[in-house]
Amino acid sequence: MPLPSPEDIVALSSEHVAQFITDQSSSKTLSVLMKHLNEQLMSPDAPTRETARQALNRLGFPEYA
C-alpha cells in the first residue's frame, strides 16, 4: 500500500481523520508516514514544508512554537 501524500491528508474531512489514523496504524504505516511528513518539514522548498505542516495539523499535530 503506497503512503498517502500530504495533499491527500490535507484533503481529509474532519470526520475521516480518526479512521485514517486507525487504518494507518493497523497497516503499520503510521510511523513511516509521520517520519516522511517530519522530513518534509525540513525541506528547503517552502510549499513542501507548508503542505507537510498542514497535513500534520489535519492529523492533530499542530505546530508548537
Side-chain angles (χ1 to χ4, degrees):
M1 169 194 281
L3 284 178
S5 71
E7 293 82 6
D8 293 336
I9 297 167
V10 170
L12 285 172
S13 63
S14 296
E15 56 269 0
H16 291 112
V17 171
Q19 187 60 52
F20 174 84
I21 292 172
T22 299
D23 293 344
Q24 293 300 307
S25 181
S26 294
S27 66
K28 309 241 188 272
T29 57
L30 184 59
S31 63
V32 174
L33 176 62
M34 295 302 291
K35 180 181 177 193
H36 181 68
L37 290 172
N38 282 311
E39 287 171 350
Q40 288 186 335
L41 282 176
M42 296 187 289
S43 170
D45 182 62
T48 299
R49 286 192 312 268
E50 178 61 18
T51 305
R53 186 196 62 72
Q54 290 174 1
L56 286 165
N57 190 47
R58 170 63 74 198
L59 294 176
F61 298 97
E63 184 176 0
Y64 292 98

